[in-house]
Amino acid sequence: MPEPIRVRGSVVVPDAELVWRFSRSSGPGGQHVNTSDSKVELRFDLASSKALPEVWRERALERLAGRLVDGRVLVIHASEFRSQWRNREAAAARLAAVLGEACAPPPKTRRATRPSRGMVERRLFNKRHRSELKQGRQAPRGE
């Protein structure tokens, strides 16, 4: 079994809350692909999870609303590897990344600032200088 899925900090999703399904994967593998169940589907019932703190769960349900099945279950598919074990690891890592991002606190609001007077003067000076430089490159106008 892969390592426990760590969301953020010390919060871990227990294996009891995960549902694994395996099926035949398309793609490379030759004749082997017809006999092995290497595609992985990982289901996590986000709405009824006891592993996440209440605030995180609400935040994740809101942010992942478009990805959830029936508004509660997060489904992750992995079939990029030929081995079921590596696909399980990939699905677990993807679930941890999705949950970690969804549970993250909202970014701090940006405080509006004004450029300093010196910065404004430098910008205008450089603008004038660049304009004069380009004017100097033009051929004189015929009169």
Side-chain angles (χ1 to χ4, degrees):
M1 204 60 217
E3 292 184 19
I5 298 174
R6 185 170 306 282
V7 180
R8 291 175 69 81
S10 62
V11 177
V12 175
V13 176
D15 290 334
E17 293 189 7
L18 302 176
V19 178
W20 298 88
R21 282 186 50 202
F22 308 102
S23 59
R24 296 210 172 109
S25 178
S26 62
Q31 293 176 343
H32 173 72
V33 80
N34 300 325
T35 60
S36 65
D37 292 339
S38 61
K39 181 179 178 181
V40 173
E41 180 183 282
L42 174 58
R43 296 168 91 61
F44 175 62
D45 191 349
L46 183 59
S48 63
S49 173
K50 301 289 182 225
L52 301 177
E54 185 65 31
V55 178
W56 288 18
R57 185 170 49 248
E58 294 299 322
R59 196 181 295 156
L61 282 169
E62 182 182 321
R63 290 182 181 169
L64 296 174
R67 283 191 68 166
L68 299 177
V69 176
D70 297 331
R72 54 183 306 121
V73 179
L74 179 63
V75 180
I76 305 287
H77 295 279
S79 62
E80 56 265 19
F81 299 107
R82 286 175 61 173
S83 125
Q84 185 188 102
W85 183 257
R86 289 185 64 191
N87 282 332
R88 286 172 75 125
E89 289 176 341
R94 213 172 297 151
L95 177 68
V98 167
L99 284 178
E101 195 174 312
C103 293
K108 292 182 180 174
T109 55
R110 182 187 175 277
R111 216 175 64 202
T113 58
R114 294 180 59 189
S116 66
R117 178 187 288 173
M119 198 67 223
V120 171
E121 288 175 1
R122 273 194 301 278
R123 183 179 62 82
L124 293 176
F125 174 80
N126 286 335
K127 241 178 121 143
R128 267 193 309 276
H129 178 72
R130 176 69 49 194
S131 173
E132 290 167 4
L133 196 78
K134 290 184 175 186
Q135 291 290 325
R137 289 185 194 146
Q138 290 180 357
R141 302 213 173 203
E143 294 169 7

